Amino acid sequence: MRVRQAANPAALDDMALARLCADREPAAVRHLLTANNQRLFRAAWSILKDRNEAEEAVQAAYLKAFGRIDQFEGRSALSTWLTRIVVNEALERLRAIRRRTTHLEAEGVSVLNTYREALMRGSEPAAPDAALAQRQLRDLIERAVADLPAAFRAVFVLREVEGMSVRETAEALGLEPATVKTRLLRARRKLQEALAPEVRSALEGAFPFAGVDCERMTARVLAALQIE
């Protein structure tokens, strides 16, 4: 039995929302996208460190997810299920990038350093009286996080920036909870060397993917699914 259209998709539980999305109910699909765009973008960026690659990974992951969302069983949160899909997509893309750049690695050029100049920037304009300070803080935070080892960076972004639980992070990355805790601790220690306490408190605002960026991703996926 299919779930009827709901006036407020945000009030649905994950199973009901997934069923409506499987039926391509526009309001439900749009809600799922806008509710998860930022988390999925952050997860993809934590692996790829490139804005364009991360956006492409998110779109591809959404299409894969919608292709089998009728199989969602609710064993984990729908957002965690989506995060795992985008993590796998990003890892596949990273492996492809590394294969394409083997000749650079042979010359001692790091694959990830190729993307250092393409670090993500904020998508929403800051308030006029704080634009410069906010931009400087974000740049400092993003550079420090980008310099973390890959294994630590993904855990840190999902736990500290996105606010996922240890269990959700472990499930999304295919790790043991104890490993998540250990990597997060090591990531924090490394960042303490680069970030003052008052700067670390600004992490919640880092890596934004909202406003125009969020709307654009939603429009792209809706168009791919042929939903108006």
Side-chain angles (χ1 to χ4, degrees), residues 105-174:
E105 290 180 328
E107 296 173 2
V109 180
S110 169
V111 172
L112 292 181
N113 283 341
T114 304
Y115 303 108
R116 191 166 300 278
E117 295 181 359
L119 284 175
M120 181 273 297
R121 292 295 181 262
S123 61
E124 289 186 315
D129 62 345
L132 179 60
Q134 189 177 58
R135 184 163 59 250
Q136 290 174 334
L137 284 175
R138 283 179 176 171
D139 287 348
L140 178 61
I141 291 168
E142 290 168 13
R143 284 196 300 271
V145 175
D147 286 337
L148 288 172
F152 298 167
R153 187 173 59 249
V155 168
F156 182 84
V157 169
L158 294 184
R159 285 282 290 120
E160 294 287 13
V161 181
E162 187 53 36
M164 293 174 67
S165 69
V166 171
R167 180 185 59 78
E168 289 172 332
T169 302
E171 185 172 343
L173 298 176

Side-chain angles (χ1 to χ4, degrees), residues 13-195:
D13 62 31
D14 283 353
M15 288 300 298
L17 180 61
R19 292 191 188 101
L20 281 178
C21 287
D23 286 342
R24 301 298 190 264
E25 199 284 309
V29 173
R30 184 176 294 277
H31 170 71
L32 182 68
L33 296 174
T34 56
N36 289 280
N37 280 343
Q38 179 158 271
R39 169 177 285 190
L40 300 191
F41 171 79
R42 286 170 168 173
W45 182 89
S46 74
I47 294 168
L48 294 164
K49 290 178 63 177
D50 176 83
R51 185 180 187 86
N52 292 331
E53 287 284 351
E55 289 192 24
E56 291 295 328
V58 171
Q59 182 173 354
Y62 270 134
L63 296 182
K64 288 181 178 179
F66 279 107
R68 58 177 186 264
I69 199 167
D70 59 339
Q71 301 171 24
F72 175 70
E73 299 178 347
R75 296 178 183 175
S76 61
L78 187 54
S79 59
T80 303
W81 183 74
L82 291 170
T83 302
R84 182 60 184 166
I85 293 174
V86 81
V87 164
N88 286 337
E89 177 68 24
L91 289 173
E92 288 180 10
R93 286 171 179 265
L94 183 60
R95 285 190 288 268
I97 290 169
R98 285 174 170 165
R99 286 195 296 269
R100 292 198 301 268
T101 56
T102 299
H103 64 288
L104 293 178
E105 290 180 328
E107 296 173 2
V109 180
S110 169
V111 172
L112 292 181
N113 283 341
T114 304
Y115 303 108
R116 191 166 300 278
E117 295 181 359
L119 284 175
M120 181 273 297
R121 292 295 181 262
S123 61
E124 289 186 315
D129 62 345
L132 179 60
Q134 189 177 58
R135 184 163 59 250
Q136 290 174 334
L137 284 175
R138 283 179 176 171
D139 287 348
L140 178 61
I141 291 168
E142 290 168 13
R143 284 196 300 271
V145 175
D147 286 337
L148 288 172
F152 298 167
R153 187 173 59 249
V155 168
F156 182 84
V157 169
L158 294 184
R159 285 282 290 120
E160 294 287 13
V161 181
E162 187 53 36
M164 293 174 67
S165 69
V166 171
R167 180 185 59 78
E168 289 172 332
T169 302
E171 185 172 343
L173 298 176
L175 301 172
E176 293 295 328
T179 302
V180 169
K181 293 178 182 178
T182 298
R183 292 185 182 181
L184 178 61
L185 178 61
R186 292 178 179 175
R188 285 173 175 167
R189 287 174 177 170
K190 287 182 176 295
L191 287 175
Q192 284 173 356
E193 300 173 1
L195 301 176

